[in-house]
Amino acid sequence: MADTSRALRHLPSVDKLVDALAAHLARSTGEAPIPRALLVEFARAELQEARRRVGDAGPGAGDERERALLAWIEAGGPLAGALARLTRERGAGLLRAINVSGVVLNTGLGRAPWHPEAVRAAAEVAGGYAVVEVDRWSGERNQRDERVSELLTRLLPCEAALAVNNCAAAVLLALQSLSGGRETLVSRGELVEIGGSFRMPAVMERAGVQLVEVGTTNRTRIGDFEAALGPKSALLLKVHPSNFRIRGFAEEASPKEMAELARQHGLFSAYDLGSGRVDVEGAASLDFLGDEPDLHGALQSGVDVVMFSGDKLLGGPQAGLVVGRAEVVAKLRKNPLYRALRLDKTILAGLERTLELLLAGRADELPARALLQRAAAEIEALARRIAEALSRVPGLEALVLPERSQPGSGSAPDVYLDTFVVALAAQGRSPSRLAAELRALPTPVFARVHEGRVLLDPRTLLAGEEEQLLELLRAHPWTGTGPRP
Ligand SMILES: *Cc1c(COP(=O)(O)O)cnc(C)c1O
């Protein structure tokens, strides 16, 4: 024990560590503020960790171990540890990231990036007062999503629209409003789970909706719906399975058949479309998305309402949009849940601008749509430039390979887009270690790990990010073992 106390005596005090951390902070400006109490916490935690290490090396520990500990303390180990805690704190939370996963609608990375004009519109209203829920001409209170509704009725063959937090909220609101306490009929093959544990049966249960499963997993005909109708039936729901396809001996009732059956029996019909593909005039065709259904077709089928996300193929902020017949949309709006699910002013501003861009024939400018359409040749040129630059970084090896990327977010699961990637390897690092180190860079970089390789897919690099990516990778020490993330 006498030996270990020698090491303990060399540990810096809490105050000394806190002062060093504060001095480090003072050198950088413009980052998130950090309270002093947190610095004290970091210093204490690091010293406790050091004491634990000294303790571990206690009775019976060899001289060599003791010397190593002393050397670690003298080399500023505790301060480095406390600084690492500070770095982790400053790198926590919602930060801008570089997406080189190639997945355009990457849910983990926030799906569709906004158009710069949508960003400006949101920033403008964030820092001040805004015309959110009042009609500026009459001075009277109105609905905050009135403008969104107006724009959607111009864009799509629908009478009215409303906007809530996300598509899951839109589905919840529709189910609760149209069949709360009564029955919703859904095809068994469409009782889907969407990423993030959005399970249709669970949502129905919470919405107070009784679920009637119709047909079999692979085959549901409209006759099966007709046979399942009863006195408590209220809603026929069509769900786009999004993230999977049933192939082969399969059949489903079409939205048109379901809308007609509902109408004949005085029931409601709704279509959870999810990804919200919209083909607009003046924009490149989205035919490369294959059989991914689109909003015009969904509405023309005659269903009462269609629900979709704002941040998937539409290319705007996170939102859940309901479009369809005016009286049915009004019914959803009257539900008290609508108030609980409503959107914030910044999102509404971004959404309005996104819809205005779609209406102005500028759809191809929306980043998500542009990235999905990015030509393989353009991606290859990017990949070659990046690979060439990275090959010159000591410790890195980079190679260009042809690959395929997916749209993401469960949109068009069958669709593979031709792309080119930079396969990256770093000295002495496993692929998962390398990927973790990329995520730990000052601006996190998210690559794809596929078949034991780290792949950088430049399809999802936005304007200005190529240089930033190279700078981040050049500034990192790849030779030696590097800092453990
Ligand atoms: C994505 C999706 C949802 C959930 O949408 P969020 O906007 O993520 O809430 C619901 N239904 C379908 C069919 C989807 O594809």
Side-chain angles (χ1 to χ4, degrees):
M1 278 315 272
D3 277 349
T4 56
S5 64
R6 203 152 57 87
L8 279 176
R9 274 200 308 277
H10 286 79
L11 277 176
S13 68
V14 171
D15 283 348
K16 204 170 158 204
L17 273 186
V18 170
D19 288 346
L21 291 177
H24 177 84
L25 274 183
R27 282 196 295 275
S28 52
T29 50
E31 294 195 44
I34 298 212
R36 196 170 168 91
L38 202 56
L39 301 185
V40 174
E41 200 182 303
F42 292 156
R44 287 214 175 108
E46 197 51 38
L47 291 175
Q48 199 175 351
E49 173 69 21
R51 276 190 211 98
R52 192 189 59 73
R53 285 211 211 182
V54 173
D56 286 351
D63 276 358
E64 215 171 294
R65 182 81 192 268
E66 171 67 15
R67 267 198 302 278
L69 271 168
L70 273 171
W72 173 74
I73 293 169
E74 271 152 26
L79 176 59
L83 277 172
R85 286 173 198 266
L86 182 60
T87 303
R88 212 166 225 283
E89 167 70 21
R90 301 176 99 190
L94 222 166
L95 299 179
R96 179 82 185 242
I98 293 181
N99 177 10
V100 274
S101 72
V103 179
V104 174
L105 301 174
N106 190 318
T107 298
L109 301 179
R111 292 193 187 154
W114 297 16
H115 189 282
E117 286 183 26
V119 173
R120 267 200 298 281
E124 190 116 330
V125 299
Y129 297 100
V131 187
V132 179
E133 217 170 79
V134 57
D135 181 276
R136 68 182 293 199
W137 315 114
S138 68
E140 281 175 19
R141 190 75 178 260
N142 68 359
Q143 298 285 348
R144 58 176 57 203
D145 54 354
E146 234 165 59
R147 172 71 176 162
V148 166
S149 176
E150 180 178 51
L151 294 170
L152 281 168
T153 57
R154 287 180 194 160
L155 185 68
L156 298 168
C158 64
E159 293 170 3
L162 65 73
V164 287
N165 230 317
N166 49 36
C167 188
V171 171
L172 175 71
L173 180 65
L175 289 172
Q176 225 277 323
S177 310
L178 304 180
S179 96
R182 301 183 64 200
E183 289 173 358
T184 291
L185 281 64
V186 198
S187 162
R188 194 167 266 123
E190 295 174 4
L191 284 172
V192 299
E193 170 168 334
I194 318 266
S197 67
F198 177 78
R199 283 188 170 194
M200 197 47 89
V203 175
M204 293 213 180
E205 192 190 309
R206 289 303 163 101
V209 170
Q210 290 154 43
L211 175 65
V212 178
E213 297 178 27
V214 177
T216 59
T217 307
N218 58 331
R219 302 198 106 189
T220 306
R221 301 183 187 83
I222 193 65
D224 297 325
F225 275 97
E226 195 153 17
L229 288 177
K232 290 180 76 188
S233 303
L235 172 67
L236 302 192
L237 177 67
K238 174 91 188 153
V239 183
H240 175 46
S242 298
N243 46 13
F244 73 99
R245 293 283 184 273
I246 299 181
R247 299 241 160 277
F249 192 61
E251 195 175 342
E252 51 180 282
S254 74
K256 187 161 180 281
E257 289 170 323
M258 289 175 67
E260 272 164 17
L261 184 66
R263 213 166 14 254
Q264 279 162 21
H265 293 267
L267 310 177
F268 292 113
S269 55
Y271 189 176
D272 174 15
L273 193 70
S275 63
R277 163 179 176 182
V278 56
D279 292 280
V280 289
E281 244 172 84
S285 151
L286 296 181
D287 282 348
F288 64 89
L289 292 173
D291 61 0
E292 182 71 17
D294 76 308
L295 276 160
H296 284 87
L299 282 160
Q300 277 150 5
S301 73
V303 291
D304 292 326
V305 282
V306 177
M307 291 82 79
F308 64 102
S309 299
D311 54 353
K312 292 185 182 171
L313 295 173
L314 191 79
Q318 180 192 302
L321 301 156
V322 182
V323 291
R325 279 177 49 214
E327 68 180 279
V328 181
V329 171
K331 206 167 150 61
L332 268 56
R333 227 180 247 291
K334 279 205 214 87
N335 188 329
L337 262 185
Y338 164 71
R339 168 65 181 78
L341 303 172
R342 77 180 184 191
L343 283 173
D344 146 79
K345 64 177 177 179
T346 56
I347 303 292
L348 276 166
L351 184 58
E352 287 179 7
R353 186 48 54 96
T354 303
L355 293 170
E356 283 160 356
L357 287 163
L358 282 163
L359 280 161
R362 294 170 61 190
D364 291 337
E365 281 180 35
L366 291 168
R369 296 173 75 108
L371 298 180
L372 284 170
Q373 291 172 49
R374 210 165 197 177
E378 184 192 337
I379 300 173
E380 181 177 11
L382 257 172
R384 294 212 178 276
R385 274 209 306 273
I386 292 168
E388 206 200 325
L390 294 183
S391 302
R392 286 198 294 267
V393 176
L396 287 184
E397 273 173 54
L399 180 77
V400 176
L401 299 172
E403 251 296 336
R404 301 193 304 168
S405 39
Q406 287 214 274
S409 274
S411 312
D414 271 354
V415 173
Y416 289 88
L417 308 165
D418 286 332
T419 197
F420 284 85
V421 296
V422 178
L424 191 68
Q427 211 170 66
R429 282 135 169 109
S430 69
S432 64
R433 167 78 198 277
L434 170 56
E437 229 165 297
L438 292 174
R439 293 196 303 272
L441 290 170
T443 295
V445 172
F446 284 78
R448 182 155 99 218
V449 181
H450 182 64
E451 289 173 354
R453 286 179 192 258
V454 174
L455 307 178
L456 313 183
D457 185 342
R459 171 182 297 279
T460 38
L461 272 184
L462 297 166
E465 287 183 344
E466 179 188 351
E467 238 348 276
Q468 199 190 354
L469 174 71
L470 294 180
E471 272 165 29
L472 282 163
L473 287 166
R474 283 192 196 111
H476 190 74
W478 296 108
T479 49
T481 52
R484 188 160 284 277

